[in-house]
Amino acid sequence: MEQIKRIKISVLTIFPGMFDIIRNYGVIKKAIEKKLVEIDILNLRDYTTDKHKVTDKPGYGGENGMVMLAEPFYRFYDEYILSKNHKPYVVLPSPQGEVFNNDLAFELAKKEELVFFCGRYEGIDERVRKIVDKEVSIGDYVLTGGEIPTMVIIETLLRFLPGVIGSKTSVENDSFYNGLLDYSHYTKPQNFRGMQVPEILLSGDHERIRIFRKKDSLLKTILKRPDLFIKKELDEEEKKILVEIIQEMFNKNPDNFKESKDV
Ligand code: ADE
């Protein structure tokens, strides 16, 4: 019988309610119901040591803002290890981390147990980093906390788990999966306000449709994300399609190629 990959994700946050957004809707809700993923949202305040459940204090060195205490994160971590007898893989969303992309999501999706530490305010006491395995940034901008980045990361990585998205091919066709942007999609009606669905998609010829889509992906990537295209290692088929694209462009408008021909 095929082994079903499951993942357990624990999130430590002072705003557990924010995570209702991902737990209660769409594919993640279904993945939880199918038991492909277990998502535990834990309140950091439950790991504090004082009666007021304080999670932050003013920073040392005359800093303006508040800094999150190391103790509640370590208490959670120690309890986790004690109950399971092994370490989880800890992710700290932070603007200082490795920039998140599909490859990193794929790496994280391979882990069996992930823990996310959500920071707030000026940041987390530096000593928490000692128990962090990977710091991840979702982009070069600063949010007020790690909750939204954590949701972005969870949503992205769960798409790689078998069974979360309807079919494997829809993940494989996603933008970035093969280093290219996704091809264009159409649904009914065939004629929408004078705009037609490309004939070939109505032909039922799966092989021609596959090539047409590959061409569309290549062109979109070249035009919208040349940086991605430059990094892409093309296979034989993709090279052939590119040659076809250039030949078609030439046949349509040879004058555009005049200068380069004369060189
Ligand atoms: N926390 C605040 N800003 C962030 C970012 N850009 N990425 C990840 N975590 C963050």
Side-chain angles (χ1 to χ4, degrees):
M1 215 172 76
E2 200 195 335
Q3 182 88 30
I4 299 177
K5 163 99 172 83
R6 295 175 208 279
I7 191 166
K8 176 178 164 62
I9 298 176
S10 310
V11 179
L12 206 51
T13 169
I14 56 167
F15 295 128
M18 284 179 78
F19 287 85
D20 291 349
I21 294 174
I22 57 166
R23 284 199 300 182
N24 297 343
Y25 298 93
V27 288
I28 298 186
K29 181 175 181 216
K30 287 212 188 93
I32 295 170
E33 285 165 2
K34 286 197 253 172
K35 301 202 183 323
L36 298 171
V37 57
E38 190 185 329
I39 305 184
D40 277 349
I41 308 297
L42 303 154
N43 195 333
L44 187 68
R45 296 195 193 284
D46 294 339
Y47 297 89
T48 52
T49 45
D50 68 309
K51 75 170 193 276
H52 299 294
K53 298 186 181 297
V54 168
T55 55
D56 59 304
K57 294 258 166 88
Y60 278 122
E63 225 175 307
N64 282 331
M66 304 294 274
V67 175
M68 294 187 84
L69 297 169
E71 180 62 29
F73 290 99
Y74 272 80
R75 282 190 81 196
F76 162 83
Y77 190 71
D78 291 344
E79 275 183 28
Y80 195 105
I81 293 172
L82 208 66
S83 68
K84 304 205 179 282
N85 247 331
H86 59 252
K87 290 182 184 175
Y89 191 85
V90 179
V91 178
L92 174 66
S94 136
Q96 300 175 15
E98 180 177 332
V99 179
F100 191 54
N101 60 19
N102 235 26
D103 293 342
L104 184 47
F106 190 68
E107 284 310 306
L108 294 176
K110 287 187 205 155
K111 310 282 177 208
E112 277 168 21
E113 290 177 30
L114 284 172
V115 166
F116 288 85
F117 285 172
C118 299
R120 286 254 140 200
Y121 315 113
E122 292 308 303
I124 297 187
D125 188 305
E126 189 63 24
R127 291 162 290 190
V128 172
R129 288 196 162 80
K130 201 160 176 203
I131 51 169
V132 166
D133 296 290
K134 176 81 81 190
E135 237 176 299
V136 180
S137 164
I138 60 161
D140 290 342
Y141 41 80
V142 179
L143 293 117
T144 51
E147 283 78 7
I148 290 175
T150 295
M151 286 189 253
V152 169
I153 298 167
I154 292 175
E155 157 112 26
T156 313
L157 74 88
L158 286 184
R159 293 175 58 83
F160 287 112
L161 289 199
V164 170
I165 300 294
S167 76
K168 189 167 166 260
T169 43
S170 61
V171 176
E172 287 173 358
N173 288 332
D174 274 347
S175 286
F176 311 114
Y177 187 86
N178 56 9
L180 295 173
L181 298 182
D182 191 11
Y183 55 76
S184 312
H185 300 268
Y186 297 88
T187 184
K188 288 180 193 313
Q190 278 183 34
N191 178 342
F192 176 71
R193 300 189 180 197
M195 294 176 274
Q196 300 286 346
V197 172
E199 276 295 324
I200 196 164
L201 298 182
L202 314 172
S203 69
D205 184 336
H206 298 298
E207 183 54 15
R208 281 183 64 218
I209 291 174
R210 190 183 67 77
I211 301 288
F212 174 83
R213 287 179 163 157
K214 194 68 184 236
K215 203 182 236 182
D216 193 33
S217 270
L218 281 162
L219 257 178
K220 271 195 172 176
T221 313
I222 291 170
L223 296 175
K224 295 186 179 180
R225 291 292 305 275
D227 57 315
L228 278 184
F229 183 75
I230 286 165
K231 281 191 236 147
K232 163 89 181 145
E233 280 181 26
L234 299 173
D235 61 28
E236 290 305 305
E237 182 180 80
E238 288 161 345
K239 285 182 201 164
K240 250 176 80 187
I241 294 174
L242 265 188
V243 169
E244 264 176 44
I245 291 175
I246 294 171
Q247 282 172 340
E248 277 170 18
M249 281 166 65
F250 177 79
N251 291 336
K252 237 192 209 165
N253 205 340
D255 285 349
N256 280 350
F257 288 75
K258 236 184 171 166
E259 261 179 50
S260 55
K261 215 183 85 199
D262 292 345
V263 170

